[in-house]
PDB file of all heavy atoms in Angstrom:
ATOM      1  N   ALA A  19      17.386  -3.224   3.406  1.00  0.00           N
ATOM      2  CA  ALA A  19      17.999  -4.127   4.391  1.00  0.00           C
ATOM      3  C   ALA A  19      17.364  -3.939   5.770  1.00  0.00           C
ATOM      4  O   ALA A  19      17.452  -2.882   6.377  1.00  0.00           O
ATOM      5  CB  ALA A  19      19.495  -3.876   4.470  1.00  0.00           C
ATOM      6  N   GLY A  20      16.703  -4.970   6.262  1.00  0.00           N
ATOM      7  CA  GLY A  20      16.160  -4.970   7.616  1.00  0.00           C
ATOM      8  C   GLY A  20      14.952  -4.087   7.823  1.00  0.00           C
ATOM      9  O   GLY A  20      14.604  -3.784   8.956  1.00  0.00           O
ATOM     10  N   LYS A  21      14.268  -3.683   6.786  1.00  0.00           N
ATOM     11  CA  LYS A  21      13.098  -2.819   6.939  1.00  0.00           C
ATOM     12  C   LYS A  21      11.857  -3.571   6.501  1.00  0.00           C
ATOM     13  O   LYS A  21      11.888  -4.355   5.566  1.00  0.00           O
ATOM     14  CB  LYS A  21      13.262  -1.543   6.124  1.00  0.00           C
ATOM     15  CG  LYS A  21      14.387  -0.676   6.618  1.00  0.00           C
ATOM     16  CD  LYS A  21      14.352   0.654   5.942  1.00  0.00           C
ATOM     17  CE  LYS A  21      15.461   1.524   6.521  1.00  0.00           C
ATOM     18  NZ  LYS A  21      15.449   2.846   5.940  1.00  0.00           N
ATOM     19  N   THR A  22      10.751  -3.285   7.176  1.00  0.00           N
ATOM     20  CA  THR A  22       9.512  -3.942   6.815  1.00  0.00           C
ATOM     21  C   THR A  22       8.738  -3.136   5.778  1.00  0.00           C
ATOM     22  O   THR A  22       8.229  -3.696   4.824  1.00  0.00           O
ATOM     23  CB  THR A  22       8.637  -4.154   8.060  1.00  0.00           C
ATOM     24  OG1 THR A  22       8.440  -2.889   8.701  1.00  0.00           O
ATOM     25  CG2 THR A  22       9.310  -5.109   9.024  1.00  0.00           C
ATOM     26  N   ASP A  23       8.647  -1.805   5.932  1.00  0.00           N
ATOM     27  CA  ASP A  23       7.950  -0.976   4.953  1.00  0.00           C
ATOM     28  C   ASP A  23       8.988  -0.306   4.064  1.00  0.00           C
ATOM     29  O   ASP A  23       9.635   0.650   4.459  1.00  0.00           O
ATOM     30  CB  ASP A  23       7.076   0.062   5.636  1.00  0.00           C
ATOM     31  CG  ASP A  23       6.271   0.870   4.629  1.00  0.00           C
ATOM     32  OD1 ASP A  23       6.186   0.441   3.464  1.00  0.00           O
ATOM     33  OD2 ASP A  23       5.735   1.915   5.008  1.00  0.00           O
ATOM     34  N   GLN A  24       9.133  -0.815   2.862  1.00  0.00           N
ATOM     35  CA  GLN A  24      10.176  -0.337   1.959  1.00  0.00           C
ATOM     36  C   GLN A  24       9.673   0.715   0.983  1.00  0.00           C
ATOM     37  O   GLN A  24      10.445   1.255   0.204  1.00  0.00           O
ATOM     38  CB  GLN A  24      10.755  -1.509   1.184  1.00  0.00           C
ATOM     39  CG  GLN A  24      11.337  -2.572   2.074  1.00  0.00           C
ATOM     40  CD  GLN A  24      11.674  -3.831   1.300  1.00  0.00           C
ATOM     41  OE1 GLN A  24      11.520  -3.882   0.090  1.00  0.00           O
ATOM     42  NE2 GLN A  24      12.125  -4.839   2.002  1.00  0.00           N
ATOM     43  N   THR A  25       8.395   1.034   1.033  1.00  0.00           N
ATOM     44  CA  THR A  25       7.815   1.949   0.059  1.00  0.00           C
ATOM     45  C   THR A  25       8.506   3.306   0.016  1.00  0.00           C
ATOM     46  O   THR A  25       8.874   3.764  -1.064  1.00  0.00           O
ATOM     47  CB  THR A  25       6.306   2.107   0.297  1.00  0.00           C
ATOM     48  OG1 THR A  25       5.698   0.824   0.254  1.00  0.00           O
ATOM     49  CG2 THR A  25       5.673   3.002  -0.742  1.00  0.00           C
ATOM     50  N   PRO A  26       8.716   3.989   1.145  1.00  0.00           N
ATOM     51  CA  PRO A  26       9.362   5.309   1.065  1.00  0.00           C
ATOM     52  C   PRO A  26      10.767   5.255   0.458  1.00  0.00           C
ATOM     53  O   PRO A  26      11.130   6.124  -0.336  1.00  0.00           O
ATOM     54  CB  PRO A  26       9.415   5.790   2.512  1.00  0.00           C
ATOM     55  CG  PRO A  26       8.345   5.032   3.205  1.00  0.00           C
ATOM     56  CD  PRO A  26       8.281   3.702   2.512  1.00  0.00           C
ATOM     57  N   ASP A  27      11.527   4.243   0.792  1.00  0.00           N
ATOM     58  CA  ASP A  27      12.880   4.113   0.245  1.00  0.00           C
ATOM     59  C   ASP A  27      12.837   3.803  -1.246  1.00  0.00           C
ATOM     60  O   ASP A  27      13.614   4.356  -2.023  1.00  0.00           O
ATOM     61  CB  ASP A  27      13.656   3.011   0.976  1.00  0.00           C
ATOM     62  CG  ASP A  27      13.932   3.370   2.430  1.00  0.00           C
ATOM     63  OD1 ASP A  27      14.077   4.570   2.722  1.00  0.00           O
ATOM     64  OD2 ASP A  27      13.984   2.451   3.247  1.00  0.00           O
ATOM     65  N   LEU A  28      11.938   2.937  -1.640  1.00  0.00           N
ATOM     66  CA  LEU A  28      11.818   2.584  -3.044  1.00  0.00           C
ATOM     67  C   LEU A  28      11.369   3.788  -3.874  1.00  0.00           C
ATOM     68  O   LEU A  28      11.903   4.038  -4.955  1.00  0.00           O
ATOM     69  CB  LEU A  28      10.841   1.421  -3.213  1.00  0.00           C
ATOM     70  CG  LEU A  28      10.700   0.843  -4.616  1.00  0.00           C
ATOM     71  CD1 LEU A  28      12.056   0.376  -5.136  1.00  0.00           C
ATOM     72  CD2 LEU A  28       9.709  -0.293  -4.618  1.00  0.00           C
ATOM     73  N   VAL A  29      10.431   4.550  -3.363  1.00  0.00           N
ATOM     74  CA  VAL A  29       9.972   5.755  -4.054  1.00  0.00           C
ATOM     75  C   VAL A  29      11.119   6.746  -4.194  1.00  0.00           C
ATOM     76  O   VAL A  29      11.324   7.337  -5.251  1.00  0.00           O
ATOM     77  CB  VAL A  29       8.771   6.383  -3.316  1.00  0.00           C
ATOM     78  CG1 VAL A  29       8.474   7.783  -3.842  1.00  0.00           C
ATOM     79  CG2 VAL A  29       7.546   5.493  -3.441  1.00  0.00           C
ATOM     80  N   SER A  30      11.888   6.904  -3.141  1.00  0.00           N
ATOM     81  CA  SER A  30      13.023   7.828  -3.175  1.00  0.00           C
ATOM     82  C   SER A  30      14.053   7.407  -4.216  1.00  0.00           C
ATOM     83  O   SER A  30      14.555   8.236  -4.980  1.00  0.00           O
ATOM     84  CB  SER A  30      13.665   7.897  -1.789  1.00  0.00           C
ATOM     85  OG  SER A  30      14.807   8.698  -1.818  1.00  0.00           O
ATOM     86  N   VAL A  31      14.366   6.144  -4.266  1.00  0.00           N
ATOM     87  CA  VAL A  31      15.335   5.637  -5.245  1.00  0.00           C
ATOM     88  C   VAL A  31      14.803   5.801  -6.665  1.00  0.00           C
ATOM     89  O   VAL A  31      15.535   6.211  -7.574  1.00  0.00           O
ATOM     90  CB  VAL A  31      15.684   4.156  -4.947  1.00  0.00           C
ATOM     91  CG1 VAL A  31      16.476   3.542  -6.086  1.00  0.00           C
ATOM     92  CG2 VAL A  31      16.463   4.055  -3.651  1.00  0.00           C
ATOM     93  N   CYS A  32      13.522   5.522  -6.869  1.00  0.00           N
ATOM     94  CA  CYS A  32      12.933   5.678  -8.205  1.00  0.00           C
ATOM     95  C   CYS A  32      12.936   7.138  -8.642  1.00  0.00           C
ATOM     96  O   CYS A  32      13.230   7.446  -9.798  1.00  0.00           O
ATOM     97  CB  CYS A  32      11.508   5.128  -8.226  1.00  0.00           C
ATOM     98  SG  CYS A  32      11.440   3.332  -8.104  1.00  0.00           S
ATOM     99  N   ARG A  33      12.644   8.039  -7.720  1.00  0.00           N
ATOM    100  CA  ARG A  33      12.671   9.470  -8.048  1.00  0.00           C
ATOM    101  C   ARG A  33      14.099   9.915  -8.372  1.00  0.00           C
ATOM    102  O   ARG A  33      14.309  10.704  -9.294  1.00  0.00           O
ATOM    103  CB  ARG A  33      12.088  10.296  -6.907  1.00  0.00           C
ATOM    104  CG  ARG A  33      10.581  10.105  -6.753  1.00  0.00           C
ATOM    105  CD  ARG A  33      10.032  10.875  -5.570  1.00  0.00           C
ATOM    106  NE  ARG A  33      10.265  12.291  -5.681  1.00  0.00           N
ATOM    107  CZ  ARG A  33       9.474  13.141  -6.342  1.00  0.00           C
ATOM    108  NH1 ARG A  33       8.405  12.686  -6.953  1.00  0.00           N
ATOM    109  NH2 ARG A  33       9.746  14.423  -6.385  1.00  0.00           N
ATOM    110  N   ASP A  34      15.080   9.403  -7.645  1.00  0.00           N
ATOM    111  CA  ASP A  34      16.482   9.719  -7.952  1.00  0.00           C
ATOM    112  C   ASP A  34      16.865   9.197  -9.331  1.00  0.00           C
ATOM    113  O   ASP A  34      17.584   9.865 -10.077  1.00  0.00           O
ATOM    114  CB  ASP A  34      17.415   9.135  -6.894  1.00  0.00           C
ATOM    115  CG  ASP A  34      17.306   9.841  -5.558  1.00  0.00           C
ATOM    116  OD1 ASP A  34      16.777  10.974  -5.511  1.00  0.00           O
ATOM    117  OD2 ASP A  34      17.748   9.261  -4.548  1.00  0.00           O
ATOM    118  N   PHE A  35      16.385   8.005  -9.661  1.00  0.00           N
ATOM    119  CA  PHE A  35      16.651   7.435 -10.982  1.00  0.00           C
ATOM    120  C   PHE A  35      16.049   8.318 -12.078  1.00  0.00           C
ATOM    121  O   PHE A  35      16.698   8.610 -13.089  1.00  0.00           O
ATOM    122  CB  PHE A  35      16.084   6.017 -11.066  1.00  0.00           C
ATOM    123  CG  PHE A  35      16.166   5.423 -12.433  1.00  0.00           C
ATOM    124  CD1 PHE A  35      17.377   4.999 -12.950  1.00  0.00           C
ATOM    125  CD2 PHE A  35      15.028   5.298 -13.219  1.00  0.00           C
ATOM    126  CE1 PHE A  35      17.462   4.454 -14.227  1.00  0.00           C
ATOM    127  CE2 PHE A  35      15.094   4.758 -14.482  1.00  0.00           C
ATOM    128  CZ  PHE A  35      16.316   4.340 -14.988  1.00  0.00           C
ATOM    129  N   LEU A  36      14.805   8.772 -11.882  1.00  0.00           N
ATOM    130  CA  LEU A  36      14.173   9.644 -12.867  1.00  0.00           C
ATOM    131  C   LEU A  36      14.921  10.972 -12.982  1.00  0.00           C
ATOM    132  O   LEU A  36      15.104  11.492 -14.075  1.00  0.00           O
ATOM    133  CB  LEU A  36      12.712   9.895 -12.505  1.00  0.00           C
ATOM    134  CG  LEU A  36      11.768   8.727 -12.728  1.00  0.00           C
ATOM    135  CD1 LEU A  36      10.365   9.085 -12.254  1.00  0.00           C
ATOM    136  CD2 LEU A  36      11.744   8.318 -14.182  1.00  0.00           C
ATOM    137  N   ARG A  37      15.347  11.516 -11.850  1.00  0.00           N
ATOM    138  CA  ARG A  37      16.105  12.770 -11.857  1.00  0.00           C
ATOM    139  C   ARG A  37      17.380  12.619 -12.690  1.00  0.00           C
ATOM    140  O   ARG A  37      17.718  13.475 -13.514  1.00  0.00           O
ATOM    141  CB  ARG A  37      16.430  13.191 -10.426  1.00  0.00           C
ATOM    142  CG  ARG A  37      17.005  14.583 -10.297  1.00  0.00           C
ATOM    143  CD  ARG A  37      17.168  14.998  -8.841  1.00  0.00           C
ATOM    144  NE  ARG A  37      15.866  15.135  -8.186  1.00  0.00           N
ATOM    145  CZ  ARG A  37      15.402  14.347  -7.227  1.00  0.00           C
ATOM    146  NH1 ARG A  37      16.137  13.353  -6.776  1.00  0.00           N
ATOM    147  NH2 ARG A  37      14.211  14.541  -6.702  1.00  0.00           N
ATOM    148  N   ALA A  38      18.085  11.516 -12.504  1.00  0.00           N
ATOM    149  CA  ALA A  38      19.308  11.264 -13.273  1.00  0.00           C
ATOM    150  C   ALA A  38      18.994  11.039 -14.748  1.00  0.00           C
ATOM    151  O   ALA A  38      19.733  11.514 -15.621  1.00  0.00           O
ATOM    152  CB  ALA A  38      20.046  10.050 -12.701  1.00  0.00           C
ATOM    153  N   SER A  39      17.906  10.351 -15.034  1.00  0.00           N
ATOM    154  CA  SER A  39      17.516  10.109 -16.428  1.00  0.00           C
ATOM    155  C   SER A  39      17.176  11.412 -17.143  1.00  0.00           C
ATOM    156  O   SER A  39      17.539  11.602 -18.303  1.00  0.00           O
ATOM    157  CB  SER A  39      16.311   9.172 -16.490  1.00  0.00           C
ATOM    158  OG  SER A  39      16.643   7.913 -15.960  1.00  0.00           O
ATOM    159  N   ILE A  40      16.500  12.303 -16.459  1.00  0.00           N
ATOM    160  CA  ILE A  40      16.162  13.604 -17.037  1.00  0.00           C
ATOM    161  C   ILE A  40      17.432  14.397 -17.318  1.00  0.00           C
ATOM    162  O   ILE A  40      17.587  14.996 -18.380  1.00  0.00           O
ATOM    163  CB  ILE A  40      15.216  14.385 -16.106  1.00  0.00           C
ATOM    164  CG1 ILE A  40      13.857  13.704 -16.034  1.00  0.00           C
ATOM    165  CG2 ILE A  40      15.070  15.833 -16.566  1.00  0.00           C
ATOM    166  CD1 ILE A  40      12.958  14.215 -14.929  1.00  0.00           C
ATOM    167  N   ALA A  41      18.352  14.385 -16.367  1.00  0.00           N
ATOM    168  CA  ALA A  41      19.594  15.151 -16.517  1.00  0.00           C
ATOM    169  C   ALA A  41      20.445  14.630 -17.673  1.00  0.00           C
ATOM    170  O   ALA A  41      21.157  15.399 -18.322  1.00  0.00           O
ATOM    171  CB  ALA A  41      20.395  15.117 -15.221  1.00  0.00           C
ATOM    172  N   GLN A  42      20.375  13.336 -17.953  1.00  0.00           N
ATOM    173  CA  GLN A  42      21.194  12.731 -19.003  1.00  0.00           C
ATOM    174  C   GLN A  42      20.482  12.651 -20.351  1.00  0.00           C
ATOM    175  O   GLN A  42      21.075  12.236 -21.345  1.00  0.00           O
ATOM    176  CB  GLN A  42      21.625  11.325 -18.586  1.00  0.00           C
ATOM    177  CG  GLN A  42      22.524  11.314 -17.389  1.00  0.00           C
ATOM    178  CD  GLN A  42      22.809   9.901 -16.897  1.00  0.00           C
ATOM    179  OE1 GLN A  42      22.358   8.931 -17.482  1.00  0.00           O
ATOM    180  NE2 GLN A  42      23.552   9.803 -15.822  1.00  0.00           N
ATOM    181  N   SER A  43      19.227  13.077 -20.402  1.00  0.00           N
ATOM    182  CA  SER A  43      18.438  12.959 -21.625  1.00  0.00           C
ATOM    183  C   SER A  43      18.950  13.898 -22.714  1.00  0.00           C
ATOM    184  O   SER A  43      19.336  15.032 -22.457  1.00  0.00           O
ATOM    185  CB  SER A  43      16.970  13.279 -21.326  1.00  0.00           C
ATOM    186  OG  SER A  43      16.231  13.286 -22.519  1.00  0.00           O
ATOM    187  N   ASN A  44      18.928  13.399 -23.943  1.00  0.00           N
ATOM    188  CA  ASN A  44      19.282  14.207 -25.111  1.00  0.00           C
ATOM    189  C   ASN A  44      18.042  14.650 -25.873  1.00  0.00           C
ATOM    190  O   ASN A  44      18.152  15.242 -26.943  1.00  0.00           O
ATOM    191  CB  ASN A  44      20.186  13.403 -26.055  1.00  0.00           C
ATOM    192  CG  ASN A  44      21.530  13.121 -25.422  1.00  0.00           C
ATOM    193  OD1 ASN A  44      22.019  13.909 -24.631  1.00  0.00           O
ATOM    194  ND2 ASN A  44      22.112  11.992 -25.767  1.00  0.00           N
ATOM    195  N   ASP A  45      16.876  14.372 -25.339  1.00  0.00           N
ATOM    196  CA  ASP A  45      15.614  14.704 -25.990  1.00  0.00           C
ATOM    197  C   ASP A  45      15.383  16.216 -25.922  1.00  0.00           C
ATOM    198  O   ASP A  45      15.312  16.785 -24.837  1.00  0.00           O
ATOM    199  CB  ASP A  45      14.474  13.967 -25.296  1.00  0.00           C
ATOM    200  CG  ASP A  45      13.143  14.133 -25.996  1.00  0.00           C
ATOM    201  OD1 ASP A  45      13.065  14.910 -26.969  1.00  0.00           O
ATOM    202  OD2 ASP A  45      12.181  13.474 -25.568  1.00  0.00           O
ATOM    203  N   PRO A  46      15.265  16.892 -27.070  1.00  0.00           N
ATOM    204  CA  PRO A  46      15.063  18.339 -27.056  1.00  0.00           C
ATOM    205  C   PRO A  46      13.714  18.752 -26.459  1.00  0.00           C
ATOM    206  O   PRO A  46      13.555  19.886 -26.008  1.00  0.00           O
ATOM    207  CB  PRO A  46      15.158  18.741 -28.530  1.00  0.00           C
ATOM    208  CG  PRO A  46      14.932  17.500 -29.301  1.00  0.00           C
ATOM    209  CD  PRO A  46      15.350  16.353 -28.424  1.00  0.00           C
ATOM    210  N   ALA A  47      12.756  17.826 -26.421  1.00  0.00           N
ATOM    211  CA  ALA A  47      11.447  18.132 -25.845  1.00  0.00           C
ATOM    212  C   ALA A  47      11.444  18.030 -24.321  1.00  0.00           C
ATOM    213  O   ALA A  47      10.452  18.372 -23.684  1.00  0.00           O
ATOM    214  CB  ALA A  47      10.399  17.198 -26.420  1.00  0.00           C
ATOM    215  N   LEU A  48      12.549  17.573 -23.754  1.00  0.00           N
ATOM    216  CA  LEU A  48      12.642  17.406 -22.309  1.00  0.00           C
ATOM    217  C   LEU A  48      13.786  18.259 -21.769  1.00  0.00           C
ATOM    218  O   LEU A  48      14.944  17.829 -21.770  1.00  0.00           O
ATOM    219  CB  LEU A  48      12.877  15.933 -21.955  1.00  0.00           C
ATOM    220  CG  LEU A  48      12.960  15.589 -20.477  1.00  0.00           C
ATOM    221  CD1 LEU A  48      11.644  15.890 -19.776  1.00  0.00           C
ATOM    222  CD2 LEU A  48      13.322  14.128 -20.302  1.00  0.00           C
ATOM    223  N   PRO A  49      13.492  19.474 -21.305  1.00  0.00           N
ATOM    224  CA  PRO A  49      14.553  20.317 -20.756  1.00  0.00           C
ATOM    225  C   PRO A  49      15.199  19.665 -19.531  1.00  0.00           C
ATOM    226  O   PRO A  49      14.541  18.977 -18.760  1.00  0.00           O
ATOM    227  CB  PRO A  49      13.825  21.600 -20.357  1.00  0.00           C
ATOM    228  CG  PRO A  49      12.520  21.563 -21.051  1.00  0.00           C
ATOM    229  CD  PRO A  49      12.198  20.120 -21.286  1.00  0.00           C
ATOM    230  N   ARG A  50      16.478  19.874 -19.371  1.00  0.00           N
ATOM    231  CA  ARG A  50      17.207  19.247 -18.259  1.00  0.00           C
ATOM    232  C   ARG A  50      16.775  19.780 -16.900  1.00  0.00           C
ATOM    233  O   ARG A  50      17.020  19.148 -15.882  1.00  0.00           O
ATOM    234  CB  ARG A  50      18.706  19.447 -18.438  1.00  0.00           C
ATOM    235  CG  ARG A  50      19.237  18.661 -19.611  1.00  0.00           C
ATOM    236  CD  ARG A  50      20.708  18.918 -19.828  1.00  0.00           C
ATOM    237  NE  ARG A  50      21.120  18.338 -21.100  1.00  0.00           N
ATOM    238  CZ  ARG A  50      21.860  17.257 -21.185  1.00  0.00           C
ATOM    239  NH1 ARG A  50      22.279  16.656 -20.113  1.00  0.00           N
ATOM    240  NH2 ARG A  50      22.180  16.775 -22.369  1.00  0.00           N
ATOM    241  N   ASP A  51      16.117  20.934 -16.874  1.00  0.00           N
ATOM    242  CA  ASP A  51      15.664  21.478 -15.593  1.00  0.00           C
ATOM    243  C   ASP A  51      14.230  21.068 -15.256  1.00  0.00           C
ATOM    244  O   ASP A  51      13.618  21.619 -14.356  1.00  0.00           O
ATOM    245  CB  ASP A  51      15.800  23.002 -15.578  1.00  0.00           C
ATOM    246  CG  ASP A  51      14.939  23.681 -16.633  1.00  0.00           C
ATOM    247  OD1 ASP A  51      14.465  22.991 -17.551  1.00  0.00           O
ATOM    248  OD2 ASP A  51      14.749  24.901 -16.523  1.00  0.00           O
ATOM    249  N   THR A  52      13.718  20.072 -15.970  1.00  0.00           N
ATOM    250  CA  THR A  52      12.367  19.568 -15.699  1.00  0.00           C
ATOM    251  C   THR A  52      12.335  18.941 -14.309  1.00  0.00           C
ATOM    252  O   THR A  52      13.184  18.138 -13.949  1.00  0.00           O
ATOM    253  CB  THR A  52      11.958  18.511 -16.752  1.00  0.00           C
ATOM    254  OG1 THR A  52      12.024  19.112 -18.042  1.00  0.00           O
ATOM    255  CG2 THR A  52      10.566  17.994 -16.496  1.00  0.00           C
TER     256      THR A  52
END
């Protein structure tokens, strides 16, 4: 909202999404502390 360069915010949100996906993963090959 109201920003011209959205890259840092978008990267931050994507990294948060990946962090949550890792924490919720049931894949035994992917430890939750990755």
Side-chain angles (χ1 to χ4, degrees):
K21 295 190 177 182
T22 55
D23 184 15
Q24 301 170 3
T25 304
D27 293 329
L28 186 57
V29 168
S30 176
V31 169
C32 290
R33 290 177 60 85
D34 290 342
F35 173 73
L36 287 177
R37 190 174 294 112
S39 297
I40 292 168
Q42 295 173 2
S43 175
N44 293 329
D45 186 354
L48 182 63
R50 291 177 190 253
D51 62 345
T52 302

